Amino acid sequence: MLEENRPIQSLYGDDGEFLGLIIGPRMWDRVESEVAPILQRELKKMEGKDKPEEKEPFKDWENLKQMWGFNYPVDYDVHCESCGADTSNWQEDDPRKFLLKAASLSGLVSFTCKGCGARITKKHFKDYISVETQSPK
């Protein structure tokens, strides 16, 4: 019987692969209050639920568009030099390929590539746009 001989039993598959553990009821009663919160935290991490939802500065982007004074129309295209991700309109992608990270009235707009994590910065000057891609660390 599990409890009498070993309060915790390791389980292995036919090929010797570790599959998991069985914790007997008496042992679980002793460790549940400390182990259960750790298991819940790690499950959330595995499911990606531990990350706060990223908020994009859409209000700043809208302010920039309203005050647009450049000699060309508002541009919506974004291209990642690191992984090749590309879109003609970053706002309409579903799922989104790029997240807006910053937008200022000076014309500086930056994005994070969801594919590789690179930072794409668009510097809007009066007559042209300069684009820089910073590879993820």
Side-chain angles (χ1 to χ4, degrees):
M1 180 174 201
L2 178 67
E3 276 299 313
E4 292 176 12
N5 296 335
R6 291 183 278 184
I8 300 172
Q9 176 68 49
S10 299
L11 298 174
Y12 295 92
D14 292 337
D15 59 355
E17 175 189 11
F18 179 72
L19 299 175
L21 294 173
I22 294 177
I23 301 174
R26 285 193 294 168
M27 177 60 77
W28 183 248
D29 287 342
R30 295 177 70 156
V31 300
E32 181 180 11
S33 64
E34 293 179 53
V35 174
I38 296 168
L39 292 174
Q40 289 300 321
R41 180 191 70 215
E42 295 304 314
L43 281 171
K44 285 180 182 178
K45 285 182 184 178
M46 290 175 70
E47 296 169 356
K49 294 180 179 175
D50 63 321
K51 296 178 183 173
E53 197 172 306
E54 293 200 46
K55 298 194 185 218
E56 296 176 274
F58 288 118
K59 186 175 180 182
D60 294 342
W61 171 248
E62 292 301 320
N63 286 339
L64 173 59
K65 289 193 320 184
Q66 286 178 356
M67 303 302 286
W68 199 264
F70 304 110
N71 293 331
Y72 45 84
V74 176
D75 65 310
Y76 297 93
D77 62 307
V78 182
H79 175 75
C80 179
E81 292 290 331
S82 291
C83 71
D86 193 56
T87 183
S88 60
N89 189 332
W90 62 272
Q91 289 181 290
E92 293 180 354
D93 291 336
D94 187 26
R96 296 273 295 282
K97 297 176 186 176
F98 300 94
L99 292 177
L100 179 67
K101 296 307 276 187
S104 70
L105 291 177
S106 67
L108 182 66
V109 181
S110 64
F111 301 89
T112 298
C113 176
K114 289 182 77 174
C116 70
R119 177 79 145 207
I120 297 94
T121 303
K122 299 178 92 172
K123 298 175 183 177
H124 296 84
F125 295 97
K126 197 71 171 169
D127 296 315
Y128 70 97
I129 303 170
S130 170
V131 181
E132 299 172 2
T133 300
Q134 185 179 17
S135 297
K137 295 176 184 173

